Amino acid sequence: MKLTNEVLTCIHERRSTRRFTEEQISPEQLDAVLDAAVWAPSGGNNQSWLFTAIQRKDALVKLNEIVCEAFRHWVPDDDYPGKAAAKELTQRAGFNFYYNAPTLIVASNKPNYENAMADCALALENIFLAAQSLGLGSCYINQLYWLRDDPEVRGYLFELGVPREHVIRSAAAVGFIAAPSPAPARKEGTVKIVR
Ligand SMILES: Cc1cc2nc3c(=O)[nH]c(=O)nc-3n(C[C@H](O)[C@H](O)[C@H](O)COP(=O)(O)O)c2cc1C
């Protein structure tokens, strides 16, 4: 018999949301998702991350402009297929890298810390599951990670409070769902049990 409970249902039903309404999430909802982030595990209990939640519309719009401009001269550093497609998309009129979500949470971490990415990714999944449990949508946003060394992007994030020495690891778009995303099928053969 397949076991189920609220947590397992939440995990199954979370989707990457790519259409958000304009409505801002409440301060309590923001607190809850940020609290979920900091309760993620971290290597050696480092907790050296920082979650910068950007809700100011003018700041988000400006960040999008800076990101789109940065992508114009960005050269993908490997042949990961999503990168070339993402670069192309950013040059289209009206493109918005965080899907016009009202809240963007940027996860950064100290440099030269080998678990920085893992810690931030675990925290992001907590954000996604907390959002799902509160009836909100969310999506992993990779563009700021790809542009982590771009001086304009980095400079503006510094203005918004991300410490100069921190490395951008990932970001999460959070908001109310305007259109549900279909669940992509899970690949067969990705689990093995040795008993
Ligand atoms: C490391 C990572 C980076 C991702 N980057 C993006 C992104 O930049 N934009 C986006 O729309 N989705 C992004 N996603 C979401 C995936 O596309 C999504 O998780 C996958 O298609 C499965 O769909 P689901 O999350 O609805 O189950 C990312 C996911 C991960 C784990």
Side-chain angles (χ1 to χ4, degrees):
M1 191 188 62
K2 193 167 179 177
L3 297 179
T4 189
N5 60 35
E6 267 187 78
V7 174
L8 295 172
T9 301
C10 184
I11 289 171
H12 276 111
E13 293 186 350
R14 178 213 56 81
R15 291 279 68 76
S16 294
T17 296
R18 299 190 178 88
R19 286 189 61 192
F20 293 91
T21 70
E22 283 186 14
E23 187 185 351
Q24 186 55 276
I25 65 173
S26 70
E28 294 78 15
Q29 287 169 325
L30 180 63
D31 284 349
V33 296
L34 292 173
D35 186 57
V38 302
W39 278 94
S42 60
N45 192 28
N46 250 278
Q47 301 185 44
S48 49
W49 46 37
L50 180 72
F51 305 99
T52 305
I54 309 170
Q55 293 196 307
R56 253 179 49 210
K57 176 91 176 163
D58 65 306
L60 286 170
V61 168
K62 184 166 175 189
L63 183 59
N64 188 56
E65 288 166 6
I66 294 170
V67 162
C68 290
E69 179 55 28
F71 266 111
R72 266 157 50 85
H73 47 82
W74 179 69
V75 180
D77 50 4
D78 58 34
D79 56 4
Y80 177 69
K83 288 188 177 175
K87 179 180 163 79
E88 204 267 310
L89 271 177
T90 58
Q91 301 313 300
R92 294 193 193 167
F95 176 81
N96 185 284
F97 81 93
Y98 52 87
Y99 303 110
N100 289 302
T103 297
L104 181 69
I105 303 172
V106 180
S108 61
N109 213 325
K110 66 181 181 184
N112 306 317
Y113 164 48
E114 69 168 3
N115 292 318
M117 190 66 169
D119 291 0
C120 285
L122 287 165
L124 241 67
E125 178 67 351
N126 271 14
I127 289 174
F128 301 150
L129 293 177
Q132 170 70 21
S133 76
L134 297 169
L136 300 172
S138 63
C139 191
Y140 198 117
I141 301 293
N142 226 2
Q143 281 81 355
L144 296 179
Y145 172 59
W146 293 343
L147 297 174
R148 62 193 175 280
D149 295 325
D150 181 277
E152 307 300 327
V153 171
R154 210 48 206 82
Y156 191 55
L157 288 172
F158 174 65
E159 266 182 54
L160 295 176
V162 178
R164 185 79 78 192
E165 72 282 7
H166 262 208
V167 180
I168 308 300
R169 291 299 172 184
S170 48
V174 182
F176 289 93
I177 300 168
S181 303
R186 265 37 190 178
K187 291 183 181 171
E188 299 286 331
T190 60
V191 173
K192 214 160 224 174
I193 299 172
V194 179
R195 58 162 72 96

